Amino acid sequence: PSLPFRENKHYESRNQNRILYGLKYEPHAVSLTDKLLKLKQTITSVTLVPSGGGAFEVSVNGQNIYSKLRTGQFPDPDSIVQAVRAKR
């Protein structure tokens, strides 16, 4: 099973914005990335990391801001955009 994003040391680098996603969620990850990159003044890059186990984890500067593994629900993209803005 996949580790929750916040516990996986491989993905905890600083100054990074990452979306760890299960393969069946790739269209959602790409759509969210597009929304995030429109925040040009706020965000400079997003890294997509394919995973398994139903994950959809979003991290800003190494800090998890959303975990589908924790909540059991898919995130609202607008809520993620607002959370990323708040972290900047």
Side-chain angles (χ1 to χ4, degrees):
S2 297
L3 291 173
F5 191 66
R6 62 182 168 71
E7 295 177 9
N8 193 329
K9 301 288 185 215
H10 179 71
Y11 299 110
E12 290 186 348
S13 60
R14 294 284 171 208
N15 300 317
Q16 296 291 322
N17 302 290
R18 297 184 186 255
I19 301 173
L20 178 87
Y21 63 95
L23 294 179
K24 68 182 180 180
Y25 300 126
E26 184 172 15
H28 298 289
V30 170
S31 176
L32 179 58
T33 298
D34 183 54
K35 286 183 179 219
L36 291 173
L37 289 175
K38 288 179 181 172
L39 302 174
K40 292 177 186 170
Q41 305 284 323
T42 307
I43 191 168
T44 58
S45 69
V46 177
T47 302
L48 298 178
V49 182
S51 183
F56 199 92
E57 314 296 297
V58 181
S59 159
V60 174
N61 294 329
Q63 183 178 8
N64 184 273
I65 62 167
Y66 187 84
S67 171
K68 181 182 170 292
L69 295 175
R70 201 173 322 133
T71 66
Q73 297 179 1
F74 198 79
D76 170 54
D78 293 331
S79 296
I80 297 297
V81 170
Q82 289 175 356
V84 168
R85 278 188 180 135
K87 288 289 182 187
R88 293 293 175 176

